[in-house]
Short mmCIF file of all heavy atoms in Angstrom, two decimals:
data_model
loop_
_atom_site.label_atom_id
_atom_site.label_comp_id
_atom_site.label_asym_id
_atom_site.label_seq_id
_atom_site.Cartn_x
_atom_site.Cartn_y
_atom_site.Cartn_z
N LEU A 1 0.83 -1.19 0.00
CA LEU A 1 0.00 0.00 -0.01
C LEU A 1 0.86 1.26 0.00
O LEU A 1 0.60 2.21 -0.74
CB LEU A 1 -0.92 0.00 1.22
CG LEU A 1 -2.13 -0.91 1.19
CD1 LEU A 1 -2.85 -0.88 2.54
CD2 LEU A 1 -3.08 -0.49 0.09
N TRP A 2 1.88 1.26 0.84
CA TRP A 2 2.75 2.43 0.95
C TRP A 2 3.46 2.73 -0.38
O TRP A 2 3.52 3.88 -0.80
CB TRP A 2 3.78 2.21 2.05
CG TRP A 2 4.91 3.22 2.03
CD1 TRP A 2 6.22 2.99 1.78
CD2 TRP A 2 4.77 4.62 2.26
NE1 TRP A 2 6.94 4.14 1.83
CE2 TRP A 2 6.07 5.17 2.12
CE3 TRP A 2 3.72 5.47 2.57
CZ2 TRP A 2 6.32 6.53 2.28
CZ3 TRP A 2 3.98 6.82 2.71
CH2 TRP A 2 5.26 7.34 2.57
N ASN A 3 3.92 1.72 -1.04
CA ASN A 3 4.62 1.91 -2.33
C ASN A 3 3.65 2.46 -3.38
O ASN A 3 4.02 3.35 -4.17
CB ASN A 3 5.24 0.61 -2.81
CG ASN A 3 6.45 0.22 -1.96
OD1 ASN A 3 7.17 1.09 -1.43
ND2 ASN A 3 6.70 -1.07 -1.81
N ASN A 4 2.43 1.95 -3.41
CA ASN A 4 1.47 2.45 -4.37
C ASN A 4 1.10 3.93 -4.12
O ASN A 4 0.96 4.70 -5.05
CB ASN A 4 0.18 1.60 -4.33
CG ASN A 4 0.38 0.22 -4.90
OD1 ASN A 4 1.28 0.02 -5.74
ND2 ASN A 4 -0.44 -0.73 -4.49
N ILE A 5 0.99 4.29 -2.85
CA ILE A 5 0.68 5.67 -2.51
C ILE A 5 1.84 6.59 -2.89
O ILE A 5 1.65 7.65 -3.50
CB ILE A 5 0.39 5.78 -1.00
CG1 ILE A 5 -0.91 5.05 -0.66
CG2 ILE A 5 0.31 7.24 -0.58
CD1 ILE A 5 -1.14 4.85 0.81
N ARG A 6 3.03 6.18 -2.52
CA ARG A 6 4.21 7.01 -2.78
C ARG A 6 4.41 7.23 -4.28
O ARG A 6 4.87 8.29 -4.71
CB ARG A 6 5.43 6.31 -2.17
CG ARG A 6 6.73 7.07 -2.30
CD ARG A 6 7.80 6.38 -1.47
NE ARG A 6 7.93 4.99 -1.81
CZ ARG A 6 8.65 4.52 -2.80
NH1 ARG A 6 9.33 5.35 -3.58
NH2 ARG A 6 8.73 3.22 -3.04
N LEU A 7 4.07 6.23 -5.08
CA LEU A 7 4.25 6.34 -6.54
C LEU A 7 3.02 6.89 -7.25
O LEU A 7 3.00 6.98 -8.47
CB LEU A 7 4.59 4.95 -7.09
CG LEU A 7 5.87 4.30 -6.59
CD1 LEU A 7 6.02 2.89 -7.10
CD2 LEU A 7 7.11 5.15 -6.99
N GLY A 8 1.98 7.25 -6.47
CA GLY A 8 0.77 7.81 -7.08
C GLY A 8 -0.05 6.78 -7.80
O GLY A 8 -0.79 7.11 -8.75
N LYS A 9 -0.01 5.50 -7.36
CA LYS A 9 -0.72 4.44 -8.04
C LYS A 9 -1.86 3.88 -7.21
O LYS A 9 -2.43 2.83 -7.53
CB LYS A 9 0.25 3.32 -8.42
CG LYS A 9 1.31 3.72 -9.41
CD LYS A 9 2.21 2.54 -9.75
CE LYS A 9 3.28 2.94 -10.77
NZ LYS A 9 4.16 1.79 -11.13
N TYR A 10 -2.20 4.56 -6.11
CA TYR A 10 -3.29 4.06 -5.28
C TYR A 10 -4.61 4.68 -5.75
O TYR A 10 -4.67 5.88 -6.05
CB TYR A 10 -3.07 4.41 -3.80
CG TYR A 10 -4.13 3.81 -2.89
CD1 TYR A 10 -4.00 2.51 -2.43
CD2 TYR A 10 -5.24 4.54 -2.55
CE1 TYR A 10 -4.97 1.97 -1.62
CE2 TYR A 10 -6.23 3.99 -1.73
CZ TYR A 10 -6.07 2.71 -1.28
OH TYR A 10 -7.05 2.16 -0.47
N TYR A 11 -5.67 3.88 -5.76
CA TYR A 11 -6.98 4.34 -6.22
C TYR A 11 -8.04 4.06 -5.14
O TYR A 11 -8.15 2.92 -4.68
CB TYR A 11 -7.36 3.65 -7.53
CG TYR A 11 -6.38 3.95 -8.64
CD1 TYR A 11 -5.38 3.03 -8.97
CD2 TYR A 11 -6.44 5.16 -9.32
CE1 TYR A 11 -4.45 3.31 -9.95
CE2 TYR A 11 -5.51 5.44 -10.33
CZ TYR A 11 -4.52 4.53 -10.63
OH TYR A 11 -3.62 4.83 -11.62
N LEU A 12 -8.74 5.11 -4.74
CA LEU A 12 -9.80 4.97 -3.75
C LEU A 12 -10.96 4.16 -4.31
O LEU A 12 -11.30 4.29 -5.48
CB LEU A 12 -10.28 6.34 -3.32
CG LEU A 12 -9.27 7.27 -2.68
CD1 LEU A 12 -9.90 8.65 -2.39
CD2 LEU A 12 -8.73 6.69 -1.37
N LYS A 13 -11.55 3.38 -3.45
CA LYS A 13 -12.69 2.58 -3.84
C LYS A 13 -13.99 3.37 -3.61
O LYS A 13 -14.00 4.33 -2.86
CB LYS A 13 -12.72 1.26 -3.04
CG LYS A 13 -11.45 0.45 -3.20
CD LYS A 13 -11.39 -0.66 -2.20
CE LYS A 13 -10.03 -1.34 -2.24
NZ LYS A 13 -8.92 -0.41 -1.84
N PRO A 14 -15.08 2.98 -4.24
CA PRO A 14 -16.37 3.67 -3.97
C PRO A 14 -16.75 3.54 -2.50
O PRO A 14 -16.49 2.50 -1.87
CB PRO A 14 -17.36 2.94 -4.87
CG PRO A 14 -16.52 2.31 -5.94
CD PRO A 14 -15.21 1.97 -5.30
N MET A 15 -17.36 4.58 -1.96
CA MET A 15 -17.83 4.51 -0.59
C MET A 15 -19.02 3.57 -0.48
O MET A 15 -19.78 3.39 -1.44
CB MET A 15 -18.25 5.90 -0.10
CG MET A 15 -17.12 6.91 -0.07
SD MET A 15 -17.62 8.48 0.68
CE MET A 15 -17.69 8.00 2.40
N GLU A 16 -19.18 2.92 0.67
CA GLU A 16 -20.24 1.96 0.88
C GLU A 16 -21.36 2.59 1.68
O GLU A 16 -21.11 3.38 2.59
CB GLU A 16 -19.73 0.75 1.63
CG GLU A 16 -18.59 0.00 0.92
CD GLU A 16 -18.05 -1.13 1.78
OE1 GLU A 16 -18.81 -2.09 2.00
OE2 GLU A 16 -16.90 -1.04 2.23
N VAL A 17 -22.59 2.26 1.34
CA VAL A 17 -23.77 2.72 2.10
C VAL A 17 -24.00 1.76 3.27
O VAL A 17 -24.16 0.54 3.06
CB VAL A 17 -25.01 2.81 1.20
CG1 VAL A 17 -26.23 3.21 2.03
CG2 VAL A 17 -24.78 3.80 0.07
N ILE A 18 -24.01 2.30 4.48
CA ILE A 18 -24.24 1.50 5.70
C ILE A 18 -25.58 1.85 6.28
O ILE A 18 -25.89 3.03 6.51
CB ILE A 18 -23.14 1.76 6.73
CG1 ILE A 18 -21.74 1.57 6.12
CG2 ILE A 18 -23.33 0.88 7.96
CD1 ILE A 18 -21.46 0.16 5.66
N THR A 19 -26.42 0.84 6.54
CA THR A 19 -27.73 1.04 7.14
C THR A 19 -27.68 0.63 8.61
O THR A 19 -27.33 -0.51 8.92
CB THR A 19 -28.81 0.23 6.40
OG1 THR A 19 -28.82 0.59 5.03
CG2 THR A 19 -30.18 0.51 7.00
N SER A 20 -28.04 1.55 9.51
CA SER A 20 -27.98 1.28 10.94
C SER A 20 -29.22 0.52 11.40
O SER A 20 -30.16 0.29 10.62
CB SER A 20 -27.85 2.60 11.72
OG SER A 20 -28.98 3.42 11.51
N TRP A 21 -29.26 0.18 12.66
CA TRP A 21 -30.37 -0.62 13.21
C TRP A 21 -31.70 0.13 13.11
O TRP A 21 -32.75 -0.51 13.05
CB TRP A 21 -30.07 -0.93 14.69
CG TRP A 21 -29.95 0.30 15.54
CD1 TRP A 21 -28.83 1.03 15.76
CD2 TRP A 21 -31.00 0.94 16.28
NE1 TRP A 21 -29.08 2.12 16.57
CE2 TRP A 21 -30.43 2.07 16.92
CE3 TRP A 21 -32.36 0.70 16.45
CZ2 TRP A 21 -31.17 2.95 17.72
CZ3 TRP A 21 -33.09 1.57 17.26
CH2 TRP A 21 -32.49 2.66 17.88
N ASP A 22 -31.66 1.49 13.15
CA ASP A 22 -32.91 2.23 13.08
C ASP A 22 -33.26 2.69 11.68
O ASP A 22 -34.15 3.52 11.49
CB ASP A 22 -32.83 3.45 14.02
CG ASP A 22 -31.64 4.35 13.69
OD1 ASP A 22 -30.85 3.99 12.81
OD2 ASP A 22 -31.51 5.40 14.32
N GLY A 23 -32.57 2.13 10.67
CA GLY A 23 -32.91 2.44 9.29
C GLY A 23 -32.17 3.64 8.69
O GLY A 23 -32.34 3.96 7.51
N ARG A 24 -31.34 4.31 9.47
CA ARG A 24 -30.62 5.46 8.94
C ARG A 24 -29.45 4.99 8.08
O ARG A 24 -28.78 4.01 8.39
CB ARG A 24 -30.07 6.33 10.10
CG ARG A 24 -31.16 6.92 10.98
CD ARG A 24 -30.55 7.73 12.11
NE ARG A 24 -31.57 8.25 13.01
CZ ARG A 24 -31.30 8.95 14.12
NH1 ARG A 24 -30.04 9.21 14.44
NH2 ARG A 24 -32.28 9.40 14.87
N GLN A 25 -29.21 5.72 7.02
CA GLN A 25 -28.16 5.36 6.09
C GLN A 25 -27.00 6.36 6.12
O GLN A 25 -27.24 7.58 6.14
CB GLN A 25 -28.70 5.26 4.65
CG GLN A 25 -29.60 4.08 4.41
CD GLN A 25 -29.95 3.91 2.96
OE1 GLN A 25 -30.04 4.86 2.20
NE2 GLN A 25 -30.17 2.67 2.53
N THR A 26 -25.80 5.84 6.15
CA THR A 26 -24.60 6.67 6.08
C THR A 26 -23.64 6.02 5.07
O THR A 26 -23.83 4.86 4.69
CB THR A 26 -23.90 6.77 7.44
OG1 THR A 26 -23.57 5.44 7.93
CG2 THR A 26 -24.79 7.46 8.45
N VAL A 27 -22.66 6.77 4.63
CA VAL A 27 -21.64 6.23 3.73
C VAL A 27 -20.31 6.16 4.45
O VAL A 27 -20.03 7.00 5.31
CB VAL A 27 -21.52 7.09 2.44
CG1 VAL A 27 -22.72 6.92 1.56
CG2 VAL A 27 -21.31 8.54 2.76
N GLN A 28 -19.51 5.19 4.10
CA GLN A 28 -18.26 4.94 4.83
C GLN A 28 -17.18 4.46 3.87
O GLN A 28 -17.43 3.68 2.96
CB GLN A 28 -18.49 3.91 5.93
CG GLN A 28 -17.24 3.53 6.71
CD GLN A 28 -17.55 2.55 7.80
OE1 GLN A 28 -17.95 2.91 8.90
NE2 GLN A 28 -17.36 1.26 7.50
N TRP A 29 -15.96 4.94 4.09
CA TRP A 29 -14.81 4.46 3.34
C TRP A 29 -14.39 3.10 3.89
O TRP A 29 -14.55 2.83 5.09
CB TRP A 29 -13.62 5.41 3.48
CG TRP A 29 -13.84 6.77 2.89
CD1 TRP A 29 -14.16 7.93 3.54
CD2 TRP A 29 -13.75 7.14 1.51
NE1 TRP A 29 -14.28 8.95 2.67
CE2 TRP A 29 -14.01 8.52 1.41
CE3 TRP A 29 -13.44 6.44 0.35
CZ2 TRP A 29 -14.01 9.21 0.22
CZ3 TRP A 29 -13.43 7.12 -0.86
CH2 TRP A 29 -13.71 8.49 -0.93
N CYS A 30 -13.84 2.27 3.06
CA CYS A 30 -13.28 0.99 3.52
C CYS A 30 -12.04 1.30 4.37
O CYS A 30 -11.54 2.41 4.40
CB CYS A 30 -12.95 0.09 2.35
SG CYS A 30 -11.55 0.64 1.33
N ALA A 31 -11.54 0.27 5.07
CA ALA A 31 -10.43 0.47 6.00
C ALA A 31 -9.19 1.01 5.30
O ALA A 31 -8.51 1.91 5.81
CB ALA A 31 -10.12 -0.85 6.71
N GLU A 32 -8.85 0.46 4.13
CA GLU A 32 -7.67 0.91 3.41
C GLU A 32 -7.78 2.38 3.03
O GLU A 32 -6.85 3.17 3.20
CB GLU A 32 -7.45 0.07 2.15
CG GLU A 32 -6.95 -1.34 2.43
CD GLU A 32 -6.65 -2.09 1.13
OE1 GLU A 32 -6.75 -1.45 0.04
OE2 GLU A 32 -6.32 -3.26 1.19
N ASP A 33 -8.95 2.77 2.50
CA ASP A 33 -9.14 4.15 2.07
C ASP A 33 -9.14 5.10 3.27
O ASP A 33 -8.61 6.22 3.18
CB ASP A 33 -10.46 4.29 1.31
CG ASP A 33 -10.40 3.62 -0.05
OD1 ASP A 33 -9.31 3.23 -0.46
OD2 ASP A 33 -11.46 3.46 -0.67
N ALA A 34 -9.73 4.69 4.39
CA ALA A 34 -9.71 5.52 5.59
C ALA A 34 -8.29 5.76 6.07
O ALA A 34 -7.92 6.86 6.50
CB ALA A 34 -10.54 4.88 6.70
#
């Protein structure tokens, strides 16, 4: 991961929609992107 970032070859993934227990929706980056 570090080498890809340093060389400008890292690409962010689409954010994911997360639905909570009460039906509320939020978007979240995956662990690598965060």
Side-chain angles (χ1 to χ4, degrees):
L1 285 174
W2 167 246
N3 289 329
N4 289 336
I5 293 168
R6 183 172 53 85
L7 298 174
K9 296 181 179 180
Y10 184 86
Y11 299 99
L12 299 176
K13 303 168 188 64
M15 298 187 73
E16 301 176 66
V17 177
I18 307 296
T19 303
S20 62
W21 62 273
D22 56 357
R24 297 179 183 177
Q25 289 188 329
T26 57
V27 289
Q28 177 178 276
W29 296 100
C30 69
E32 287 185 5
D33 291 348

